[in-house]
Amino acid sequence: MKGIQYLAVAAGILLLFSGVLVNANALRKQPTSITLDIPSSAVRLDDTVTFTGTLTNSNTGEGVSEKAIIIYREGPMGPVPIAEAFTGIDGGFSTTWTATMDMNRDTPVTVWAQFDGDDTTLASRTGKTTFRIALIPINLEITTDGNKNRYFVGKTALFSVAFHDGMGNFVDPDVIKATYDGNFISLNKVDVGRYTFETPRLVKFEQHQFGVFVEKPGYTSVQKSLTITAFGAVIAKPVKVTASKVGDDIMIRVKNHPLSPGDVYTFKGEFLGASPLDGSSNSWQFSVDSANSFTFKSLEKSLPGGKFTSFKVKADGAPTKLLWKALDLHGKELASGATMVRTIRSK
């Protein structure tokens, strides 16, 4: 029993002596202090951010050299290292980071510098510093030729669109969505950040709205619209249709008004009193891009203003009327009517 007691006392003395050695080693480590500076409180996307600072001995104020410094960014799941540097002879360090953000909006970034310590020096870290990645405002300008908003029927309107950052720099957005009277359209690019759109001829006494929405990473998203008014005498129906029957052949002629938009993309018809032999139903459609053509497929080209084209369709029975519609590329009805089918007796 006494032997066991002697062993316990000896072990206790050894542990105590070891603890004294550990504490002595810890006390021999030099305490450190670290600073961190950033150049600005606001930067832009993809800017190079430079972090500088100094690691010093807290007792002597001298710089601590050849030590690894980590720059951390506060993240949603915890600290994220974004840059690393080694201290120089005077304890100073410098490192860079490219500003990035997950979503296209002003983003606060909280950072700090940290030294993890080693065998001779104790760890230290700075307080947290916050700066922000700020979006650049895009100036979206829409103008018309002569800066007017009223046009005579029969004229066209030219819209000019410009995107710039307010400092004389024109910018091409990554996404441009433009609409005219609610339909998506394409803009004609003139130069960097500059575009135009010319309307079809204005054929009615009504208002037309032109709108643009743009977005680009690192820049604010913006949208604007401009409304113009066409005034004057209303032009007659933009499409004129005639139909003549000779035997089983029905000749259909479609003519566009000279001042009408050149956007009659689809012509649909239905006979009263007969069925077309070219299709499986009473309703059919054909393109207006070339003479004597007939197709059930999608239409591709327009019928120019003041021009006409003819189509030959075979039908059974004796059609009395042709019910028709003319549609634009977006499916909007431009005109419709009921045309009498004139019978011409063959000689």
Side-chain angles (χ1 to χ4, degrees):
M1 177 67 73
K2 289 184 178 180
I4 295 175
Q5 290 176 344
Y6 290 146
L7 287 174
V9 170
I13 293 172
L14 180 61
L15 288 174
L16 178 61
F17 183 69
S18 298
V20 170
L21 288 177
V22 171
N23 289 335
N25 287 333
L27 290 174
R28 281 199 295 269
K29 288 188 177 184
Q30 297 299 312
T32 60
S33 177
I34 188 172
T35 63
L36 176 66
D37 297 307
I38 58 175
S40 174
S41 61
V43 298
R44 294 178 174 180
L45 178 66
D46 295 330
D47 276 358
T48 298
V49 182
T50 301
F51 301 108
T52 58
T54 305
L55 180 69
T56 58
N57 184 311
S58 299
N59 291 332
T60 65
E62 296 179 348
V64 181
S65 63
E66 298 182 357
K67 303 299 182 183
I69 307 298
I70 306 296
I71 308 298
Y72 286 93
R73 174 183 180 179
E74 197 171 69
M77 303 299 292
V80 178
I82 60 174
E84 182 179 3
F86 283 87
T87 58
I89 297 177
D90 60 352
F93 64 88
S94 177
T95 186
T96 60
W97 172 70
T98 301
T100 59
M101 54 189 181
D102 298 327
M103 301 182 67
N104 197 50
R105 64 185 183 191
D106 281 4
T107 303
V109 180
T110 299
V111 297
W112 64 89
Q114 183 168 311
F115 168 58
D116 292 333
D118 54 22
D119 293 340
T120 60
T121 49
L122 296 174
S124 60
R125 59 176 289 182
T126 66
K128 295 181 178 180
T129 301
T130 299
F131 61 95
R132 66 189 182 96
I133 305 174
L135 297 182
I136 304 172
I138 282 189
N139 292 304
L140 168 56
E141 297 179 359
I142 302 176
T143 57
T144 59
D145 44 317
N147 290 321
K148 55 189 177 183
N149 57 12
R150 289 170 60 84
Y151 290 83
F152 284 108
V153 167
K155 301 294 184 179
T156 61
L158 181 66
F159 290 95
S160 296
V161 182
F163 313 102
H164 61 88
D165 61 4
M167 295 180 289
N169 301 311
F170 287 94
V171 178
D172 275 332
D174 286 20
V175 175
I176 302 177
K177 296 179 181 178
T179 60
Y180 179 67
D181 288 347
N183 297 315
F184 285 105
I185 57 171
S186 297
L187 301 181
N188 175 50
K189 184 174 181 178
V190 177
D191 205 339
V192 175
R194 282 164 281 188
Y195 302 78
T196 61
F197 170 71
E198 185 172 13
T199 69
R201 291 192 182 275
L202 308 171
V203 298
K204 295 182 180 180
F205 183 15
E206 61 184 359
Q207 289 187 324
H208 300 273
Q209 187 176 64
F210 172 73
V212 180
F213 167 80
V214 298
E215 59 183 1
K216 181 180 180 68
Y219 294 78
T220 55
S221 300
V222 64
Q223 62 181 11
K224 274 189 178 181
S225 63
L226 187 63
T227 300
I228 61 171
T229 302
F231 66 98
V234 178
I235 294 177
K237 286 185 177 180
V239 179
K240 181 180 180 181
V241 179
T242 59
S244 304
K245 183 176 185 298
V246 180
D248 290 337
D249 294 334
I250 302 175
M251 185 65 69
I252 303 170
R253 174 174 285 190
V254 181
K255 182 177 182 181
N256 215 1
H257 193 282
L259 294 181
S260 295
D263 56 0
V264 180
Y265 282 80
T266 306
F267 186 85
K268 294 184 177 182
E270 180 178 354
F271 289 125
L272 293 183
S275 299
L277 299 179
D278 307 77
S280 58
S281 66
N282 288 341
S283 298
W284 43 266
Q285 67 182 40
F286 51 78
S287 64
V288 291
D289 57 351
S290 62
N292 301 318
S293 64
F294 182 86
T295 176
F296 287 89
K297 298 180 180 180
S298 298
L299 311 177
E300 299 178 354
K301 295 185 179 180
S302 65
L303 178 63
K307 303 296 182 179
F308 69 86
T309 189
S310 299
F311 305 89
K312 185 182 291 185
V313 181
K314 288 185 177 293
D316 61 3
T320 58
K321 284 185 180 181
L322 168 64
L323 305 181
W324 59 270
K325 291 182 180 180
L327 310 174
D328 67 8
L329 178 63
H330 306 284
K332 179 182 178 182
E333 185 178 307
L334 297 174
S336 63
T339 299
M340 300 297 296
V341 179
R342 185 167 61 96
T343 300
I344 301 176
R345 301 194 180 277
S346 57
K347 295 180 181 180

